[in-house]
Amino acid sequence: MKIQTRRGFRAARNATVAAAAVAGLVLGSAGAAGAEVNDQNRIVSNGHEVIVTQEDTFINGVPPIGGSPLSREWFHNGRGIANIVGPEAADFEGSTFQFGYQVAWTASIDGGISFGWESPDPSFTVTAEPVKYEPVLDEAGEPVLVDGQQVFRPLEVTEVETSIEGGLPGISAGIELTQAPGIAEIVVAESEFDGDFKEVQIANVHGAATGVIGPVSVRPFVRVITDNADNVTTYGQVWTL
């Protein structure tokens, strides 16, 4: 069920349209009627409820344009929404909206994963240091398990790139993959907003993996960080490509 809230006058400043010919994010202040809620999470911050939602999520795996059996390619469509509910919700300032992915791979040969989108809204940036993990191995080279679950440890990210290309400002973020199985989290877009509402429509954001052996798993997330550093994240389902 879609949450309906009163939207303060500051929320109108978040009604910027950001569209792209191939891949982009569209910002707005009006939700879609009858949208499918895929995942939702909430916290209470300073007496106000902060709610993040993913709607109409669809990640479409397509044959890689280069035809390599070691490549994967996909496009992501959906919507991320932030609602702040409470007596002074319209007066909230300096909240941060983030959109990104967790990705996992089984093995790689000099591989990498990248995401790219374009938007005329220059307020969006990309986080330069996504979290990346590798499995912990014992002396025999076997994975370490705790309560039946494999243990991972943080790994330094080898490369993240951002660029401004073409007629529209564009951002691409990429990471190099380890040969062993691994997991990485990367914030693809980040923007500050004021008021009690923020909506980002994700329209054909492009993702690609190269040099991978086996499937690649992608889990989209939406996160809101309030001005006092409270944060809430909604993780969507895992899409295997």
Side-chain angles (χ1 to χ4, degrees), residues 120-146:
D121 182 358
S123 68
F124 272 98
T125 59
V126 64
T127 295
E129 295 184 359
V131 181
K132 190 174 179 181
Y133 301 90
E134 67 176 350
V136 177
L137 306 178
D138 60 20
E139 294 181 356
E142 298 296 326
V144 174
L145 302 179
V146 175

Side-chain angles (χ1 to χ4, degrees), residues 55 57 105 117 127 150 178 198:
E55 292 183 347
T57 302
W105 60 97
W117 57 273
T127 295
Q150 190 170 357
T178 58
K198 178 81 164 186

